[in-house]
Amino acid sequence: MSLTLTTPHVETPALAPRERETLRHIAAGRTYVQTARHMGLSKHTVDAYLRRIRAKLDINTTAELTRLAISLGL
């Protein structure tokens, strides 16, 4: 018996381009500081982006953020 997991198509029009970029970095395993340096931001701005993403999409954990990023192809 084969088990196939399907991921529904996820649309996230609510995410701003910089929020999507931040999500991509965090999902790739980068820290807030590494993400901030790469994006030319402060770690506080990265934290703010991630709080907004979590609030918009009702996500609570980094694992859920990573799952979302994978489903979006980020």
Side-chain angles (χ1 to χ4, degrees):
M1 182 172 133
S2 173
L3 177 63
T4 303
L5 298 177
T6 59
T7 304
H9 180 67
V10 178
E11 297 267 342
T12 56
L15 294 183
R18 293 294 267 184
E19 291 170 341
R20 290 176 65 91
E21 183 179 356
T22 302
L23 176 59
R24 182 172 46 86
H25 288 293
I26 295 301
R30 292 190 179 92
T31 66
Y32 284 28
V33 172
Q34 290 169 330
T35 299
R37 283 185 188 145
H38 190 348
M39 294 177 67
L41 305 170
S42 77
K43 68 178 182 174
H44 301 289
T45 303
V46 169
D47 181 57
Y49 284 157
L50 291 171
R51 278 188 275 117
R52 277 192 254 161
I53 293 167
R54 286 184 171 115
K56 286 179 180 181
L57 303 175
D58 194 29
I59 291 176
N60 298 313
T61 68
T62 301
E64 288 176 299
L65 284 173
T66 302
R67 192 173 324 128
L68 172 66
I70 290 169
S71 70
L72 293 173
L74 299 177

